[in-house]
Amino acid sequence: MSRVSSWRGALVLAALVALPALPFMSKFYLLLAFDALLFGAIAMSLDLLIGYTGLVSFGHAAFFGLGAYSTAILLERGVVSLWACLGFAVLVVGLYALLVSYFATARRGIYFALLTLVFAEVVYTFFRYTQTFGGSDGIQGVPPAQLVPGVAIDTPLANYYAVIVYLALAYALCRVLVTSHFGKVLVAIRENEDRARFLGYNVQRYKMAVCMISALLTGVGGALYPGRSAFATPDLMLWTVSGEFIIMVMIGGLGTLGGPIIGGAFFVLLQEQVSSYVDWYFMVIGLVLVFIVLFMPRGLLGFRRMLGFGQWRATA
Amino acid sequence: MKRLTWLAPLLAVALAVALAQPAASQQKVVKIGDLGSKVGVFEGYGKYQSMGIQLAVEEINGKGGVLGHRIEVIAEDDDTKPAPAIRKAEKLILQDGVKLLIGAVSSGSTMAIMDVTKKHKTIHWNSVSCAEFMRTTKFHKYYFSNQPDSRQQATGLAKYILDKMGKKVYIFYTDYAMGQSDGRQFKTALEKLGGEVVGVAGAPLDTKDFSPWFGAINQSSPDVLFLAFAGTDSLRLMTQLHSFGMTKKYKLAGIDCFLLQQDLPAIAEPMEGFVQLNHFSAYNPDPNMQAFNQKFKKKFGVDANIAAGAYDAVYFWKAAVEKAGSFDPDKVSAAHEGLCIDKTHIGRQCIRKEDHQVVMDMHLYRVEKGKNLPIARDRRQGRDRRGHGGPGSAEGLHLGDQEEELAARWTISSRSCCRSSCTASSSGPRWGCWPWA
């Protein structure tokens, strides 16, 4: 990263850190901002797969939900350390992602999407039917996690800053990743998988690696969720949630990292506002999506052309 | 990294647009929140809850409001899921500043938002959800309910089933908080009275095809099918049971919110003979009930139903606020305890101090030709509720001579006596918390 762009990144971070100081930022808006940035970060991690590698995952909700359940299960049983929760989430999501990515990356295109979807549905069904984890009601009313013993992340402000740290670290990691040699290979795989293979790259290994990274980032995001909402339910893993993640990436702009963050935040805020006025808010969101696909095919932050139209490069 | 320059202004604009709110121009307004399912599987319940609230608020505002404040209702849809329910509850409490939150419809959502109302000290009334956890493990001081919970329904209904319908019962429930709770409490009540539960099964919420469960039901050859479903699930289940000939083969009973009266005519034949215990029917000739129904019908053009209990919730809250002389949640909560209101659709209702549950009479009803007709009299008041006449008298009450009166007075005296054996709670783990534990 150049020095100038690092400064710009720092400026955005500073703006987000200062956001709670604005007079209209009530507790509710902080919670809303938490959701907006959390789902923005998750959309960004999904962008590594969709935008950079050309792999459309229809199962990211499972990574998110597993992260959330990992935390909720520990919190419910009295393990309130944030680090233990995050560690457990990384372990659980990592093992699951290893399994999914091993099988899914062996296939291309629609088959990759279908395999991720099928695995995610299995996880969803498992949690929905397992009464030990609350069945379809999930785990509710968990206590807040503690940063260190005695310091609980229990206010909207503390949760907001937790998500800022997560977003900043996740963004830095993704940025480093896509500008590295590894990132270039991912783009090469997206552009022409056979050619990348002929050049001597072990394509499946690269795909598995990026799947794992994307899944773990999503899982860590999920692990932060119960701290804010006090629950984890199977609904978090429903395939429609995976679909929403993809929509967030598309709204923001594929292969841009920053775009999906904006896409995620935009989606959450739009959903929140529109659903307060009309019951059929998904129609409005659908129309917005149609508008974006038709008139802004490169997303809100569309510097690059859409996937499949050739010529475009994702990495800077 | 060039793109980063766009991040800050875009995020700022997005947030600013989202957060822009019209300035409040009205003075002396108190807001109350109406949170529930406005679309989806429980749409009907959410809509009638809103109607009940609207009717009460218009009446109260017409008489000067509460403590000189005009009531304003802010309605939100929770999508019948906990995650949106929590976000909407937070919006209502933290942004809109509601002093009373009524909802939600689905027990799963209600349980989730109880954490929010507890955390932000907001008076919370539940008029539709019936899982017992809300009155036991999740109970908090700001929570009140006038929907009879699973235990209260089970006690009266189990006795009637054993006396009049049969000893062998198969329990089929919707597999989430409400159904699990209803099924478990009914099983306990039935076995206590000497009945036999020949089988138990749960189907997920929003199941489209119930036929995979029918084989097990037929194999266990019950006398009675006890069904704990609600909303469009109930509609599909009854249609499918009927097409398999099972509505004729077995006697049918179920929970109070199984189907709203409005849905009954459409599936009158499958529902014929279905018995339930609840607190309202438009076909009950009781003068109080008819008076309320006429009022409701005049306003909305349709009969009221049990989901309209939110009407009484608003009146309870109003009485408590006036008793407390303020909107302070602690004072209003304390003022609620032991409060009674008279001449509601079911007569006198009182809030039990121990668990903030409203105590009221309930009646047994049986569906006949798409109408929920009463089959029990209230022994306590010695009044015949089967009689004919009265305003809007239910035409064609065909009550069997064999029916005995059965007072369905609730028998639970305190919350502490009825804690569930299941350990599910916010304070303890769920190990061993199985539906039938």
Coordinates of all heavy atoms in Angstrom, one line a residue, chain B residues 248-308:
Chain B
K248 N -61.8 -37.2 10.5 CA -63.0 -38.0 10.8 C -62.6 -39.1 11.8 O -63.4 -39.5 12.6 CB -63.6 -38.5 9.6 CG -64.1 -37.5 8.6 CD -65.6 -37.2 8.8 CE -66.1 -36.3 7.7 NZ -65.9 -34.9 8.1
K249 N -61.4 -39.6 11.6 CA -61.0 -40.8 12.4 C -60.7 -40.5 13.8 O -61.0 -41.3 14.7 CB -59.7 -41.3 11.7 CG -59.4 -42.7 12.0 CD -58.2 -43.1 11.1 CE -57.6 -44.4 11.5 NZ -56.4 -44.7 10.6
Y250 N -60.2 -39.3 14.1 CA -59.8 -38.9 15.5 C -60.6 -37.7 15.9 O -61.0 -36.9 15.1 CB -58.3 -38.6 15.6 CG -57.4 -39.7 15.0 CD1 -56.6 -39.4 13.9 CD2 -57.4 -41.0 15.5 CE1 -55.9 -40.4 13.3 CE2 -56.7 -42.0 15.0 CZ -55.9 -41.7 13.8 OH -55.1 -42.7 13.3
K251 N -60.7 -37.6 17.2 CA -61.3 -36.4 17.8 C -60.2 -35.3 17.9 O -59.0 -35.7 18.1 CB -61.9 -36.6 19.2 CG -63.2 -37.5 19.1 CD -63.7 -37.8 20.4 CE -65.0 -38.6 20.2 NZ -65.4 -39.3 21.4
L252 N -60.6 -34.1 17.7 CA -59.6 -33.1 17.6 C -59.6 -32.0 18.7 O -60.7 -31.6 19.1 CB -59.7 -32.3 16.3 CG -59.7 -33.2 15.0 CD1 -60.2 -32.4 13.8 CD2 -58.3 -33.7 14.7
A253 N -58.5 -31.7 19.2 CA -58.4 -30.6 20.2 C -57.1 -29.8 20.0 O -56.2 -30.3 19.3 CB -58.4 -31.2 21.6
G254 N -57.0 -28.6 20.5 CA -55.8 -27.9 20.3 C -55.7 -26.6 21.2 O -56.6 -26.4 22.0
I255 N -54.7 -25.8 20.9 CA -54.5 -24.6 21.6 C -55.4 -23.5 21.2 O -56.0 -23.5 20.2 CB -53.0 -24.2 21.5 CG1 -52.6 -24.0 20.0 CG2 -52.1 -25.3 22.1 CD1 -51.2 -23.4 19.8
D256 N -55.4 -22.4 22.0 CA -56.3 -21.3 21.8 C -56.1 -20.6 20.5 O -57.0 -20.1 19.9 CB -56.4 -20.4 23.0 CG -55.1 -19.6 23.2 OD1 -54.1 -20.0 22.6 OD2 -55.2 -18.6 23.9
C257 N -54.8 -20.5 20.1 CA -54.4 -19.7 19.0 C -54.3 -20.5 17.7 O -53.7 -20.1 16.7 CB -53.2 -18.8 19.2 SG -51.8 -19.8 19.8
F258 N -54.8 -21.7 17.7 CA -54.7 -22.7 16.6 C -55.1 -22.0 15.3 O -54.3 -22.0 14.3 CB -55.5 -23.9 16.9 CG -55.3 -25.0 15.9 CD1 -54.1 -25.8 15.9 CD2 -56.1 -25.2 14.8 CE1 -53.9 -26.8 15.0 CE2 -55.9 -26.2 13.9 CZ -54.8 -27.0 14.0
L259 N -56.3 -21.5 15.3 CA -56.7 -20.7 14.1 C -57.6 -19.6 14.6 O -58.3 -19.7 15.6 CB -57.5 -21.6 13.2 CG -56.8 -22.4 12.1 CD1 -57.8 -23.3 11.4 CD2 -56.0 -21.6 11.2
L260 N -57.5 -18.5 13.9 CA -58.4 -17.4 14.2 C -59.8 -17.6 13.7 O -59.9 -18.3 12.7 CB -57.8 -16.1 13.7 CG -56.5 -15.6 14.3 CD1 -55.9 -14.4 13.5 CD2 -56.6 -15.4 15.7
Q261 N -60.8 -17.1 14.3 CA -62.2 -17.3 13.9 C -62.3 -17.0 12.4 O -63.0 -17.7 11.7 CB -63.1 -16.5 14.7 CG -64.5 -16.4 14.3 CD -65.2 -17.8 14.3 OE1 -65.1 -18.6 15.2 NE2 -65.8 -18.2 13.1
Q262 N -61.6 -16.0 11.9 CA -61.8 -15.5 10.5 C -61.3 -16.6 9.6 O -61.8 -16.6 8.4 CB -60.9 -14.3 10.3 CG -61.5 -13.0 10.8 CD -61.5 -12.9 12.3 OE1 -60.9 -13.7 13.0 NE2 -62.3 -12.0 12.9
D263 N -60.4 -17.5 10.0 CA -60.0 -18.6 9.1 C -60.9 -19.8 9.1 O -60.8 -20.6 8.2 CB -58.6 -19.0 9.5 CG -57.5 -17.9 9.5 OD1 -57.6 -17.1 8.6 OD2 -56.7 -17.8 10.4
L264 N -61.7 -19.9 10.1 CA -62.5 -21.1 10.2 C -63.5 -21.4 9.1 O -63.5 -22.6 8.6 CB -63.3 -21.1 11.6 CG -62.4 -21.3 12.8 CD1 -63.2 -21.2 14.1 CD2 -61.6 -22.6 12.7
P265 N -64.3 -20.5 8.6 CA -65.2 -20.8 7.6 C -64.6 -21.5 6.4 O -65.1 -22.4 5.8 CB -65.8 -19.5 7.2 CG -65.7 -18.6 8.4 CD -64.4 -19.1 9.0
A266 N -63.4 -21.1 6.0 CA -62.7 -21.6 4.8 C -62.4 -23.1 5.0 O -62.3 -23.8 4.0 CB -61.4 -20.8 4.6
I267 N -62.1 -23.5 6.2 CA -61.8 -25.0 6.4 C -62.8 -25.5 7.5 O -62.4 -26.3 8.4 CB -60.4 -25.2 6.8 CG1 -59.9 -24.5 8.0 CG2 -59.4 -25.0 5.6 CD1 -58.7 -25.1 8.6
A268 N -64.1 -25.2 7.3 CA -65.1 -25.6 8.3 C -65.1 -27.1 8.4 O -65.2 -27.6 9.5 CB -66.4 -25.0 7.9
E269 N -65.1 -27.8 7.3 CA -65.3 -29.2 7.4 C -64.1 -29.9 8.1 O -64.3 -30.7 9.0 CB -65.4 -29.8 6.0 CG -66.2 -31.1 6.0 CD -66.3 -31.7 4.6 OE1 -66.3 -30.9 3.6 OE2 -66.3 -32.9 4.5
P270 N -62.8 -29.7 7.7 CA -61.8 -30.3 8.5 C -61.8 -29.9 10.0 O -61.4 -30.8 10.8 CB -60.5 -29.7 7.8 CG -60.9 -29.3 6.5 CD -62.3 -28.9 6.6
M271 N -62.2 -28.7 10.3 CA -62.2 -28.3 11.7 C -63.4 -28.7 12.5 O -63.4 -28.4 13.7 CB -62.1 -26.8 11.7 CG -60.7 -26.2 11.4 SD -59.4 -26.6 12.6 CE -59.9 -25.5 14.0
E272 N -64.3 -29.4 11.9 CA -65.6 -29.7 12.6 C -65.3 -30.5 13.9 O -64.6 -31.5 13.8 CB -66.5 -30.5 11.7 CG -67.9 -30.8 12.2 CD -68.7 -29.5 12.3 OE1 -68.4 -28.5 11.7 OE2 -69.8 -29.6 13.0
G273 N -65.7 -30.0 15.0 CA -65.6 -30.8 16.3 C -64.3 -30.4 17.0 O -64.0 -31.0 18.1
F274 N -63.5 -29.5 16.5 CA -62.2 -29.2 17.2 C -62.5 -28.4 18.5 O -63.2 -27.5 18.5 CB -61.4 -28.3 16.2 CG -60.0 -27.9 16.6 CD1 -59.0 -28.7 16.2 CD2 -59.8 -26.9 17.6 CE1 -57.7 -28.3 16.6 CE2 -58.5 -26.6 18.0 CZ -57.5 -27.3 17.5
V275 N -61.9 -28.9 19.5 CA -62.2 -28.3 20.9 C -61.0 -27.5 21.3 O -59.8 -28.0 21.2 CB -62.5 -29.5 21.9 CG1 -62.6 -28.9 23.3 CG2 -63.8 -30.1 21.5
Q276 N -61.2 -26.4 21.9 CA -60.1 -25.6 22.5 C -60.6 -24.8 23.7 O -61.8 -24.6 23.9 CB -59.5 -24.6 21.4 CG -60.5 -23.6 20.9 CD -59.9 -22.7 19.8 OE1 -60.6 -21.8 19.3 NE2 -58.7 -22.9 19.4
L277 N -59.7 -24.2 24.4 CA -60.0 -23.4 25.6 C -59.5 -22.1 25.3 O -58.3 -21.9 25.1 CB -59.3 -24.1 26.8 CG -59.5 -23.5 28.2 CD1 -61.0 -23.7 28.6 CD2 -58.6 -24.2 29.2
N278 N -60.3 -21.0 25.3 CA -59.8 -19.7 25.1 C -60.6 -18.6 25.8 O -61.6 -18.9 26.4 CB -59.4 -19.5 23.7 CG -60.6 -19.1 22.8 OD1 -61.5 -18.4 23.2 ND2 -60.6 -19.6 21.6
H279 N -60.2 -17.4 25.6 CA -60.9 -16.3 26.3 C -61.8 -15.5 25.5 O -62.4 -14.5 25.9 CB -59.9 -15.5 27.1 CG -59.0 -14.7 26.2 ND1 -59.4 -13.5 25.5 CD2 -57.7 -14.8 25.8 CE1 -58.4 -13.0 24.8 NE2 -57.3 -13.8 25.0
F280 N -62.0 -15.8 24.2 CA -62.9 -15.0 23.3 C -63.4 -15.8 22.2 O -62.7 -16.6 21.5 CB -62.1 -13.8 22.8 CG -63.0 -12.9 22.0 CD1 -63.9 -12.0 22.6 CD2 -63.1 -13.1 20.6 CE1 -64.7 -11.2 21.8 CE2 -64.0 -12.3 19.8 CZ -64.8 -11.4 20.4
S281 N -64.7 -15.6 21.9 CA -65.3 -16.0 20.6 C -66.4 -15.1 20.3 O -67.2 -14.7 21.2 CB -65.8 -17.4 20.8 OG -66.6 -17.7 19.6
A282 N -66.5 -14.7 19.0 CA -67.5 -13.8 18.6 C -68.9 -14.5 18.7 O -69.9 -13.9 18.6 CB -67.3 -13.4 17.2
Y283 N -68.9 -15.8 18.8 CA -70.1 -16.6 18.9 C -70.6 -16.9 20.3 O -71.4 -17.7 20.6 CB -70.0 -17.9 18.1 CG -69.9 -17.5 16.6 CD1 -68.6 -17.5 16.0 CD2 -71.0 -17.1 15.8 CE1 -68.5 -17.1 14.7 CE2 -70.9 -16.8 14.5 CZ -69.6 -16.8 13.9 OH -69.5 -16.4 12.6
N284 N -69.9 -16.3 21.3 CA -70.2 -16.5 22.7 C -71.3 -15.4 23.0 O -71.1 -14.2 22.8 CB -69.0 -16.3 23.6 CG -69.3 -16.7 25.0 OD1 -70.4 -16.6 25.5 ND2 -68.3 -17.2 25.7
P285 N -72.5 -15.9 23.4 CA -73.6 -14.9 23.6 C -73.4 -14.0 24.9 O -74.3 -13.2 25.1 CB -74.8 -15.8 23.7 CG -74.3 -17.1 24.2 CD -72.9 -17.3 23.6
D286 N -72.4 -14.2 25.6 CA -72.1 -13.4 26.8 C -72.2 -12.0 26.5 O -71.6 -11.5 25.5 CB -70.8 -13.8 27.4 CG -70.5 -13.0 28.6 OD1 -70.9 -13.4 29.7 OD2 -69.8 -11.9 28.5
P287 N -73.0 -11.2 27.3 CA -73.1 -9.7 27.0 C -71.8 -9.0 26.9 O -71.7 -8.1 26.0 CB -74.0 -9.2 28.1 CG -74.6 -10.4 28.7 CD -73.7 -11.6 28.5
N288 N -70.9 -9.2 27.8 CA -69.6 -8.5 27.7 C -68.9 -8.8 26.4 O -68.3 -7.9 25.8 CB -68.7 -8.9 28.9 CG -69.2 -8.3 30.2 OD1 -69.7 -7.2 30.2 ND2 -69.0 -9.0 31.3
M289 N -68.9 -10.1 26.1 CA -68.1 -10.5 24.9 C -68.8 -9.9 23.6 O -68.1 -9.4 22.7 CB -68.1 -12.0 24.8 CG -66.8 -12.4 24.3 SD -66.4 -14.1 24.5 CE -66.0 -14.3 26.2
Q290 N -70.1 -9.9 23.6 CA -70.8 -9.3 22.5 C -70.6 -7.8 22.4 O -70.5 -7.3 21.3 CB -72.3 -9.7 22.6 CG -72.6 -11.1 22.2 CD -72.1 -11.5 20.8 OE1 -72.2 -10.7 19.9 NE2 -71.6 -12.7 20.7
A291 N -70.6 -7.2 23.6 CA -70.4 -5.7 23.6 C -69.1 -5.4 23.0 O -69.0 -4.4 22.1 CB -70.5 -5.2 25.0
F292 N -68.1 -6.1 23.4 CA -66.7 -5.8 22.8 C -66.7 -6.1 21.3 O -66.2 -5.3 20.5 CB -65.7 -6.7 23.6 CG -64.3 -6.6 22.9 CD1 -63.6 -5.4 23.0 CD2 -63.8 -7.6 22.2 CE1 -62.3 -5.3 22.5 CE2 -62.5 -7.5 21.6 CZ -61.8 -6.3 21.8
N293 N -67.3 -7.2 21.0 CA -67.3 -7.6 19.6 C -68.0 -6.6 18.7 O -67.5 -6.3 17.6 CB -67.9 -9.0 19.4 CG -67.5 -9.6 18.0 OD1 -66.3 -9.6 17.6 ND2 -68.5 -10.0 17.3
Q294 N -69.1 -6.1 19.2 CA -69.9 -5.1 18.4 C -69.0 -3.8 18.1 O -69.0 -3.3 17.1 CB -71.2 -4.7 19.1 CG -72.2 -5.8 19.1 CD -72.5 -6.4 17.7 OE1 -72.6 -5.6 16.8 NE2 -72.6 -7.7 17.6
K295 N -68.3 -3.4 19.2 CA -67.5 -2.3 19.2 C -66.4 -2.5 18.1 O -66.1 -1.6 17.3 CB -66.9 -2.1 20.5 CG -66.4 -0.7 20.8 CD -66.3 -0.5 22.4 CE -65.4 -1.4 23.1 NZ -65.3 -1.2 24.5
F296 N -65.8 -3.6 18.2 CA -64.7 -4.0 17.3 C -65.2 -4.0 15.8 O -64.6 -3.5 14.9 CB -64.1 -5.3 17.7 CG -62.8 -5.7 17.1 CD1 -61.6 -5.3 17.7 CD2 -62.7 -6.3 15.8 CE1 -60.4 -5.6 17.1 CE2 -61.5 -6.6 15.3 CZ -60.3 -6.3 15.9
K297 N -66.4 -4.7 15.7 CA -66.9 -4.9 14.3 C -67.3 -3.5 13.7 O -67.2 -3.3 12.5 CB -68.1 -5.8 14.4 CG -68.5 -6.5 13.1 CD -69.4 -7.6 13.4 CE -69.7 -8.3 12.0 NZ -70.5 -9.5 12.2
K298 N -67.8 -2.6 14.6 CA -68.2 -1.3 14.1 C -67.0 -0.6 13.5 O -67.1 0.1 12.5 CB -68.9 -0.5 15.2 CG -69.6 0.7 14.8 CD -70.3 1.4 16.0 CE -70.7 2.8 15.6 NZ -71.0 3.6 16.8
K299 N -65.9 -0.7 14.2 CA -64.7 0.0 13.8 C -64.0 -0.6 12.6 O -63.6 0.1 11.7 CB -63.8 0.0 15.0 CG -62.3 0.5 14.7 CD -62.2 2.0 14.7 CE -60.8 2.4 14.2 NZ -60.8 3.7 13.6
F300 N -63.9 -1.9 12.6 CA -63.1 -2.6 11.5 C -63.9 -3.4 10.5 O -63.3 -3.9 9.6 CB -62.0 -3.5 12.2 CG -61.1 -2.7 13.1 CD1 -61.1 -2.9 14.4 CD2 -60.1 -1.9 12.5 CE1 -60.2 -2.2 15.3 CE2 -59.3 -1.2 13.4 CZ -59.3 -1.3 14.7
G301 N -65.2 -3.6 10.8 CA -66.0 -4.4 9.9 C -65.8 -5.9 10.0 O -66.4 -6.6 9.1
V302 N -65.1 -6.3 11.0 CA -64.9 -7.8 11.1 C -65.0 -8.1 12.6 O -64.9 -7.3 13.5 CB -63.5 -8.3 10.7 CG1 -63.3 -8.2 9.2 CG2 -62.4 -7.4 11.3
D303 N -65.3 -9.4 12.9 CA -65.3 -9.9 14.3 C -64.0 -9.8 14.9 O -62.9 -9.9 14.2 CB -65.8 -11.3 14.3 CG -67.3 -11.4 14.1 OD1 -68.0 -10.5 14.5 OD2 -67.8 -12.4 13.5
A304 N -64.0 -9.6 16.2 CA -62.7 -9.6 17.0 C -62.3 -11.1 17.1 O -63.0 -12.0 16.8 CB -62.9 -9.0 18.3
N305 N -61.1 -11.3 17.6 CA -60.6 -12.6 18.0 C -59.6 -12.5 19.2 O -59.4 -11.4 19.7 CB -60.0 -13.4 16.8 CG -58.9 -12.6 16.2 OD1 -58.0 -12.1 16.9 ND2 -58.8 -12.5 14.9
I306 N -59.0 -13.6 19.5 CA -58.2 -13.6 20.7 C -57.0 -12.7 20.6 O -56.5 -12.2 21.6 CB -57.7 -15.0 21.1 CG1 -56.9 -15.7 20.0 CG2 -58.8 -15.9 21.6 CD1 -56.0 -16.8 20.5
A307 N -56.5 -12.5 19.4 CA -55.4 -11.6 19.3 C -55.7 -10.2 19.6 O -54.8 -9.3 19.9 CB -54.8 -11.7 17.8
A308 N -57.0 -9.8 19.7 CA -57.4 -8.5 20.0 C -57.3 -8.2 21.5 O -57.7 -7.2 22.0 CB -58.8 -8.2 19.5

